[in-house]
């Protein structure tokens, strides 16, 4: 009974926070889950490739579902009754989000999991492979943190298509798929002979960008509600770019494509249930 009362007090306290603080708390949670995934290096030096591919597929499914149910659908609903057709803000924001990530992808030095350092993308640099791997997952986490922040900002605006519970559902979904992302950084580093402590540090470091992106997203939409549908769809476009360009291809390259695909569908279903049930 005491635990239930404490939980209710926590929920009420959380509701009273301003949306920027809520976004900070939520993305702090997603960062923590990334750290939990990275912490698996202390119990094991390697992970079965099939399991890693399945977890990456699951993460991709969560991100795809979140892009529609938590971001695009509310953006379309908010666009109704405006000076443009409802699909215009959503389309413009979605494509701009993808273009934004494409530009970062071209500029930011990073290396996808399982590839030799010679195939690093972005501006040429002599940075170590470990740093490039961290930056690759960091690239994933920018749109994730932004999406959570924008969702809390939209909920604070009391639009019919957005709600606090929906924003919480999004944070939970992003947190779920951050666990394998933390592992995806720390485990390869551990296999290369880097100490468990350093591998963990680099793994959790990749999630550090989420609170910054979340606070920025919430602050922007709170300051100007007119850009809400654009901001929501922008985050969706950025996430879809990451899923199609990086997450799904990485889950398909080691011979477990069918298993990874089924896990992707499972991740999509879990996120859909979370959003519909809580939102």
């Amino acid at each position: 009974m005491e635990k239930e009362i404490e939980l209710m007090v926590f929920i009420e306290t959380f509701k009273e926070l301003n949306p920027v603080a809520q976004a900070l708390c939520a993305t702090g949670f997603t960062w923590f889950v990334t750290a939990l995934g990275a912490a698996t290096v202390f119990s094991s030096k390697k992970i079965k490739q099939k399991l890693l591919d399945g977890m990456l597929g699951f993460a991709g499914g969560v991100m795809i579902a979140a892009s529609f149910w938590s971001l695009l659908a509310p953006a379309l609903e908010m666009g109704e009754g405006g000076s443009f057709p409802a699909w215009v803000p959503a389309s413009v924001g979605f494509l701009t989000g993808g273009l934004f990530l494409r530009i970062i992808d071209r500029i930011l030095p990073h290396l996808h999991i399982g590839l030799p350092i010679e195939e690093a993308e972005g501006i040429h640099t002599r940075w170590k492979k470990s740093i490039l791997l961290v930056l690759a997952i960091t690239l994933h986490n920018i749109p994730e943190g932004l999406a959570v922040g924008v969702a809390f900002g939209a909920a604070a605006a009391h639009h019919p298509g957005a709600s606090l519970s929906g924003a919480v559902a999004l944070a939970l979904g992003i947190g779920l798929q951050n666990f394998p992302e933390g592992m995806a950084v720390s485990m390869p580093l551990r296999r290369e002979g880097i100490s468990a402590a350093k591998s963990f540090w680099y793994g959790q470091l990749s999630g550090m960008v989420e609170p910054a992106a979340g606070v920025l997203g919430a602050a922007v939409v709170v300051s100007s509600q007119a850009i809400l549908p654009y901001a929501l769809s922008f985050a969706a476009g950025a996430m879809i770019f990451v899923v199609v360009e990086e997450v799904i291809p990485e889950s398909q390259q080691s011979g477990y494509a069918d298993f990874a695909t089924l896990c992707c569908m499972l991740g999509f279903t879990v996120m859909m249930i979370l959003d519909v049930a809580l939102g």
Side-chain angles (χ1 to χ4, degrees):
M1 188 67 179
E2 288 184 10
K3 290 184 178 181
E4 291 180 358
I5 294 174
E6 289 177 358
L7 179 60
M8 291 177 64
V9 171
F10 172 78
I11 292 173
E12 291 302 318
T13 303
F14 184 77
K15 286 180 178 179
E16 293 175 3
L17 295 175
N18 69 66
V20 175
Q22 290 174 343
L24 179 61
C25 292
T27 49
F29 162 75
T30 60
W31 177 18
F32 173 73
V33 179
T34 303
L36 283 181
T40 55
V41 292
F42 292 112
S43 60
S44 176
K45 194 169 183 177
K46 61 181 180 179
I47 182 175
K48 290 183 178 179
Q49 189 62 46
K50 182 177 182 179
L51 178 58
L52 180 59
D53 289 350
M55 296 177 82
L56 285 172
F58 181 89
V62 168
M63 292 173 74
I64 293 171
S67 296
F68 177 74
W69 295 99
S70 300
L71 300 169
L72 275 178
L76 287 166
E77 189 170 343
M78 291 174 190
E80 294 178 356
S83 54
F84 298 106
W87 53 266
V88 170
S91 300
V92 170
F94 184 81
L95 294 175
T96 304
L99 179 61
F100 173 74
L101 257 290
R102 172 56 179 158
I103 293 171
I104 293 182
D105 187 62
R106 287 289 299 273
I107 296 174
L108 183 71
H110 63 283
L111 178 67
H112 298 304
I113 300 167
L115 296 180
I117 194 168
E118 293 76 19
E119 296 188 31
E121 299 179 13
I123 295 175
H124 178 70
T125 178
R126 298 192 180 202
W127 290 347
K128 293 181 180 179
K129 186 175 182 179
S130 57
I131 300 298
L132 296 175
L133 284 169
V134 171
L135 289 176
I137 301 299
T138 300
L139 190 64
H140 296 186
N141 291 336
I142 292 173
E144 293 169 9
L146 186 63
V148 173
V150 169
F152 277 99
H158 303 295
H159 278 277
S163 66
L164 180 60
S165 54
V168 170
L170 176 60
L172 288 174
I174 295 297
L176 279 175
Q177 61 91 48
N178 272 3
F179 188 86
E181 287 190 351
M183 293 178 64
V185 175
S186 59
M187 285 297 183
L189 296 178
R190 188 73 180 103
R191 285 200 301 267
E192 291 182 11
I194 296 176
S195 69
K198 281 190 175 180
S199 297
F200 165 74
W201 171 253
Y202 285 131
Q204 66 82 32
L205 194 64
S206 67
M208 191 177 293
V209 70
E210 290 197 7
V215 167
L216 176 64
V220 168
V221 298
V222 166
S223 63
S224 178
Q225 295 187 19
I227 68 170
L228 263 175
Y230 296 95
L232 286 165
S233 52
F234 179 94
M239 284 217 291
I240 290 296
F241 181 91
V242 167
V243 171
V244 176
E245 205 269 339
E246 297 185 19
V247 178
I248 289 181
E250 286 172 12
S251 73
Q252 303 279 315
Q253 65 185 5
S254 302
Y256 302 104
D258 289 342
F259 178 70
T261 301
L262 289 173
C263 289
C264 180
M265 296 181 68
L266 176 62
F268 184 97
T269 303
V270 169
M271 185 65 230
M272 178 178 64
I273 292 172
L274 276 175
D275 191 86
V276 174
L278 297 181

